[in-house]
Amino acid sequence: MLDDIAMLVGGERIAPTPGRVIDVTNPFDGRLLAQVADATTAQVSDAVGAAERAAPSWRALPGVERGRLLSRLADLIEARAEPLARLETSDNGKLLSETRVQAAFAARNYRFFAGYADKIYGHTIPLDSPSLFDYTTREPVGVAALITAWNSPMQLLANKLAPALAAGCTVVVKPSEVAPLTTLAMAGLVREAGFPPGVVNIVTGGAEAGAALTTDPRLGRISFTGSVRTGQAIAAAAARTLVPVTLELGGKSPNIVFDDADLDRAVVGALAGIFAAGGQTCIAGSRLLVQRSCYDRVVGELVRRAEDIVLGDPAAEGTQLGPLAGQAHLDRVLAMVDAGRASGATLRTGGTRPDEPALAQGCFLRPTVFSDVDPAAELAQEEIFGPVLSVLPFDTEDEAIALANGTEYGLASGIWTRDLARAHRVARELVAGTVWVNTYRTSAAQAPFGGVRRSGYGRERGLEAVDEYLRTKNVMIELSGDIRDPFVMQA
């Protein structure tokens, strides 16, 4: 699928401008995978213009027809799932077993929203006067800019593109320049599925392309997944043009283990919560809060299991942890590990690069566990986005809730307990967009996802996602023949 990785603007594939390319490398062995376009401001403007021109006819297309095209796209993704998964694994270093799941999940997203495309209804509203008839319509916002991160490109794109198209919006997609290849591969599938030219446009590039896109006043919505800092910059820029924004940002998610939990399951959930995808997920359960009465047992088992995790080629069967996405990111994570040591936390395992020769070219970090972490330390407060777990003890339910809510984030959280009443009590008090009970990192196309606080605002997936791409219009009709003249006194 590397044969066709040009941008897509107005239905045409756009090759890179000479001298403006971005190298895309494999984080496992450092080899060059491709050179993609670093779009100019003019090319981004052309993409927005193409989407704007296509908007009226796409909006007018019956929802059932938009649904058919989305279903066809889902079929094509399922048919190409294996090469798409392998392409994403080579692009960002995720395990092939996980990218296969994400390809299937992406197809499920498109199919879910295909079924919703012809079910966008307004309401009739009873008013005080019987001679007035009032109703609302739900209409697409127009052109939507969809900006995705490098850690899960297929899934993140599906979270945005599927509801936007179902709602009747046209789009300009900009993937992260770190891992753009599966998004560019989607350009061919979009054309093969039969989407009209200009409905889906895909541009690649760095800061210049991102700034050109997010400051364009022709947009009706910006949806961004990425860092808090970039999200804040996008929100500030959008405020100047009054373009509404959906932000899915970072997290410092608490995973809470009570002493009445099935501790074996809780340990597995904790391992999956932080070490799956190398911790490079916004929902990573990077803070494990463990009741003191079972703290030593849980930490000991975590350390034992973490030291058995197999690092290696993410495309190879048997690998359990792949590389981080790039050298710059690895350096940042290692700096956070050093800061954790300096804060007085106890490094129980990991924290270093592996010394096996076969892994020397890759951006690897051994699974890392810190215990006795100060809740106020950077290790417990800031997103690391790597395989680094901070374990903190607590005594009471109230203390667990206070620790869990004791950061500026609010994306996801987990609770491990056999007490159903406790599960409901704690879930109600957690400041988070998602609460898992006796599971972690479980996703569904039907379930809304998003955060609060510094984790962003707006929702993806579920029926709530379509609302991000719609606006409400009110229509009021006078049914009587009376003329209400405000300048004539009524008897």
Side-chain angles (χ1 to χ4, degrees):
M1 304 190 81
L2 279 172
D3 296 335
D4 192 11
I5 54 170
M7 299 188 297
L8 179 65
V9 176
E12 300 296 326
R13 304 307 296 269
I14 307 298
T17 301
R20 291 189 62 106
V21 296
I22 296 172
D23 290 345
V24 180
T25 59
N26 186 323
F28 169 63
D29 55 17
R31 64 188 171 89
L32 181 68
L33 294 173
Q35 290 186 317
V36 302
D38 185 7
T40 64
T41 297
Q43 287 172 326
V44 173
S45 181
D46 289 346
V48 177
E52 187 178 41
R53 290 189 296 274
S57 58
W58 181 248
R59 167 182 170 173
L61 193 70
V64 66
E65 297 301 326
R66 294 199 300 272
R68 285 195 181 110
L69 288 169
L70 282 165
S71 291
R72 199 172 301 155
L73 184 58
D75 290 340
L76 291 171
I77 292 170
E78 288 175 341
R80 312 290 206 288
E82 184 65 15
L84 282 169
R86 290 185 176 277
L87 182 60
E88 189 145 303
T89 290
S90 65
D91 202 4
N92 70 359
K94 269 196 170 182
L95 297 184
L96 182 58
S97 58
E98 183 158 1
T99 56
R100 283 169 173 156
V101 170
Q102 293 192 335
F105 188 86
R108 177 69 180 97
N109 252 9
Y110 289 107
R111 207 175 301 286
F112 173 78
F113 287 103
Y116 198 64
D118 62 348
K119 301 172 182 66
I120 299 172
Y121 307 136
H123 301 281
T124 58
I125 303 172
L127 302 181
D128 296 338
S129 171
S131 68
L132 290 172
F133 177 64
D134 194 82
Y135 67 93
T136 63
T137 60
R138 300 285 283 151
E139 300 178 352
V141 298
V143 179
L146 312 180
I147 305 169
T148 59
W150 49 259
N151 58 324
S152 299
M154 281 188 290
Q155 180 173 321
L156 296 177
L157 178 60
N159 287 349
K160 302 177 188 299
L161 183 59
L165 294 176
C169 293
T170 56
V171 305
V172 179
V173 177
K174 194 195 94 63
S176 166
E177 66 273 24
V178 175
L181 298 183
T182 52
T183 302
L184 288 169
M186 282 289 293
L189 302 187
V190 164
R191 295 208 304 179
E192 187 176 347
F195 283 84
V199 171
V200 178
N201 305 273
I202 301 173
V203 297
T204 52
E208 179 185 337
L213 182 56
T214 55
T215 57
D216 196 304
R218 293 171 290 179
L219 299 178
R221 165 71 63 176
I222 300 170
S223 181
F224 169 79
T225 296
S227 72
V228 173
R229 180 178 297 180
T230 304
Q232 290 170 327
I234 288 173
R240 290 192 285 272
T241 54
L242 295 180
V243 174
V245 180
T246 301
L247 297 176
E248 198 270 278
L249 307 177
K252 193 67 180 175
S253 299
N255 206 354
I256 308 169
V257 179
F258 290 97
D259 60 7
D260 68 332
D262 181 330
L263 295 183
D264 291 335
R265 288 183 60 194
V267 167
V268 172
L271 290 165
I274 185 60
F275 297 133
Q280 298 171 114
T281 65
C282 53
I283 56 174
S286 56
R287 287 187 301 145
L288 187 67
L289 314 182
V290 183
Q291 200 154 22
R292 199 177 302 274
S293 53
C294 61
Y295 184 83
D296 290 340
R297 174 182 169 186
V298 169
V299 171
E301 185 64 10
L302 280 169
V303 170
R304 184 187 71 80
R305 293 286 303 273
E307 290 175 347
D308 288 340
I309 290 174
V310 179
L311 283 67
D313 182 349
E317 299 295 335
T319 298
Q320 297 173 321
L321 185 68
L324 299 186
Q327 185 61 48
H329 182 54
L330 173 62
D331 291 343
R332 178 188 174 278
V333 174
L334 286 169
M336 293 289 285
V337 170
D338 290 341
R341 289 193 184 97
S343 72
T346 303
L347 178 63
R348 302 295 294 266
T349 190
T352 59
R353 300 190 63 179
D355 52 14
E356 293 90 335
L359 306 180
Q361 299 303 313
C363 301
F364 286 94
L365 176 66
R366 292 193 181 282
T368 302
V369 177
F370 281 98
S371 65
D372 308 310
V373 177
D374 180 351
E378 185 179 36
L379 197 63
Q381 289 291 319
E382 292 301 324
E383 185 175 44
I384 298 175
F385 224 64
V388 181
L389 178 65
S390 300
V391 191
L392 294 80
F394 68 88
D395 291 300
T396 67
E397 184 177 303
D398 287 344
E399 185 184 0
I401 292 168
L403 284 170
N405 293 337
T407 75
E408 295 182 348
Y409 295 96
L411 189 58
S413 55
I415 303 168
W416 298 86
T417 180
R418 288 189 174 99
D419 186 333
L420 183 60
R422 167 180 277 166
H424 284 294
R425 281 196 310 270
V426 177
R428 183 180 61 228
E429 298 300 324
L430 292 178
V431 181
T434 293
V435 179
W436 287 292
V437 178
N438 295 331
T439 186
Y440 204 89
R441 292 188 80 240
T442 304
S443 299
Q446 306 95 315
F449 175 74
V452 296
R453 294 177 170 172
R454 286 179 69 198
S455 292
Y457 45 77
R459 290 296 178 264
E460 298 187 325
R461 303 201 294 260
L463 301 185
E464 289 83 352
V466 179
D467 291 336
E468 302 289 313
Y469 300 97
L470 295 170
R471 56 191 172 211
T472 300
K473 177 183 287 182
N474 184 257
V475 180
M476 189 180 294
I477 302 173
E478 173 64 66
L479 300 178
S480 74
D482 296 337
I483 299 176
R484 303 174 188 274
D485 190 337
F487 304 105
V488 176
M489 296 296 293
Q490 301 296 316

